[in-house]
Amino acid sequence: MTSSHTDCHFCLQSLRGRKYALREENAYCVPCYDSLYANPCEECKQPIECNSKDLAYKGRHWHEGCFRCAKCSRSLVEKPFAAKDEVLLCTECYSDEYSSKCFHCQKTIMPGSRKMEFKGSSWHESCFVCQYCRQPLGTKPLITKDNENYCVPCFEKKFAHHCYACKKVITSGGVTYHDQPWHKECFVCAGCKTQLSGQRFISKDEYPYCVDCFSRFYAEKCAACKKPITALGGAKYISFEERQWHGECFKCAKCSVSLVGQEFLTRQDDILCHKCGSA
């Protein structure tokens, strides 16, 4: 500005016909203004005079010609840039030095673009998609298999086991029976429907039965005590002429001596030791 009516607020010299600068409604000649208020340039350390463009970023100032990339020296005026440890870099140099590489495409994730992070790796937003349906995963629940990400519906469709009984997806746990997966709550006795997970059971015609139901429906009855013979847990039983006995029940009908591993004789429905049968 020029004025013919004021004096410099600092040195009191006339501003008539001279350039001056205003600050808080006070007029200063250019030398006084620059010495009092000019910001030092971050790059060259010289004052940024009032007739020069002052470029500011986060409280620091540069001459227009000094505002450039610290690595390649290209001007950053009206261009995107990034700061690292108070050093200004163009986006290309910043990417080369510091930007993450996309786990999927291995290309640089440029500063300012949206980055997705998962299990310590980074993705472009457009690369962070379900491997099966190719829909963006964003913040949706996902499951990883063989370094590929899947949305939950696609993972279940492609990989999850389906319960042999109810045909629904088994999301966790489960029981394997006859090479087929079952929900724990679906793995029940074919007779009484009691849950068998963690319990002893017996298989019959590819169906599981609790011990009580198997004994009631299928187990042979001991010829002596008439109770079921389940052979559960390796219990011994004796079979002779289509009759069965518990090991402990297979004894002489007269003297009650055990006949397991011994010679015996039969008399009608009785079994006798050799001594009692010969008497």
Side-chain angles (χ1 to χ4, degrees):
M1 296 182 180
T2 60
S3 173
S4 57
H5 304 289
T6 59
D7 296 331
C8 173
H9 185 71
F10 186 74
C11 69
L12 303 180
Q13 292 187 21
S14 174
L15 296 177
R16 185 175 300 168
R18 301 171 62 190
K19 290 182 178 181
Y20 67 94
L22 289 175
R23 184 181 178 88
E24 298 177 355
E25 298 184 356
N26 295 317
Y28 297 84
C29 65
V30 171
C32 288
Y33 183 88
D34 289 342
S35 65
L36 292 172
Y37 302 115
N39 294 306
C41 176
E42 194 73 21
E43 175 66 20
C44 70
K45 310 305 179 185
Q46 299 299 312
I48 304 173
E49 299 171 340
C50 64
N51 58 355
S52 300
K53 185 178 288 188
D54 185 336
L55 301 180
Y57 174 72
K58 290 190 174 180
R60 296 185 294 158
H61 301 263
W62 289 262
H63 289 107
E64 186 175 14
C66 295
F67 194 64
R68 56 195 179 203
C69 174
K71 186 175 181 182
C72 69
S73 298
R74 283 183 291 185
S75 174
L76 299 178
V77 177
E78 297 182 357
K79 293 181 180 178
F81 64 90
K84 179 69 174 179
D85 300 329
E86 298 189 354
V87 175
L88 302 185
L89 299 168
C90 65
T91 54
E92 291 82 358
C93 290
Y94 183 89
S95 298
D96 290 341
E97 291 287 332
Y98 303 110
S99 289
S100 303
K101 296 291 190 297
C102 175
F103 183 83
H104 178 74
C105 70
Q106 294 303 308
K107 295 181 180 178
T108 298
I109 302 175
M110 298 298 288
S113 61
R114 190 172 184 188
K115 177 174 68 173
M116 309 303 295
E117 294 187 348
F118 178 66
K119 289 188 175 180
S121 297
S122 301
W123 280 262
H124 291 110
E125 186 178 21
S126 58
C127 292
F128 195 60
V129 299
C130 171
Q131 180 67 18
Y132 190 73
C133 68
R134 311 307 299 175
Q135 294 300 307
L137 290 170
T139 57
K140 297 177 184 176
L142 61 93
I143 301 174
T144 300
K145 180 177 175 63
D146 298 331
N147 288 329
E148 299 289 357
N149 299 321
Y150 297 85
C151 63
V152 174
C154 286
F155 182 87
E156 292 179 349
K157 185 186 301 180
K158 189 171 177 64
F159 299 110
H161 294 298
H162 289 74
C163 177
Y164 182 77
C166 71
K167 311 304 179 187
K168 295 180 180 179
V169 170
I170 300 174
T171 56
S172 63
V175 175
T176 299
Y177 172 68
H178 280 187
D179 295 326
Q180 298 290 348
W182 304 60
H183 289 113
K184 287 184 178 180
E185 59 270 22
C186 293
F187 188 61
V188 298
C189 171
C192 66
K193 307 304 178 184
T194 300
Q195 287 192 21
L196 296 177
S197 178
Q199 306 298 319
R200 296 190 298 178
F201 65 91
I202 303 172
S203 177
K204 175 69 174 176
D205 299 329
E206 297 189 357
Y207 291 98
Y209 290 85
C210 66
V211 175
D212 289 342
C213 285
F214 182 85
S215 300
R216 185 164 64 251
F217 297 141
Y218 298 110
E220 299 287 352
K221 301 297 190 294
C222 175
C225 71
K226 310 304 180 185
K227 294 180 179 179
I229 301 173
T230 64
L232 191 66
K236 293 181 179 180
Y237 70 96
I238 313 299
S239 180
F240 176 72
E241 292 185 349
E242 299 183 355
R243 290 188 295 167
Q244 287 79 32
W245 289 261
H246 292 109
E248 62 272 20
C249 294
F250 192 62
K251 54 191 177 184
C252 176
K254 189 172 182 179
C255 70
S256 299
V257 68
S258 174
L259 297 177
V260 177
Q262 306 297 319
E263 293 183 355
F264 62 90
L265 302 173
T266 61
R267 180 181 295 165
Q268 297 180 351
D269 290 336
D270 292 335
I271 56 172
L272 301 168
C273 66
H274 193 269
K275 180 180 179 180
C276 291
S278 300

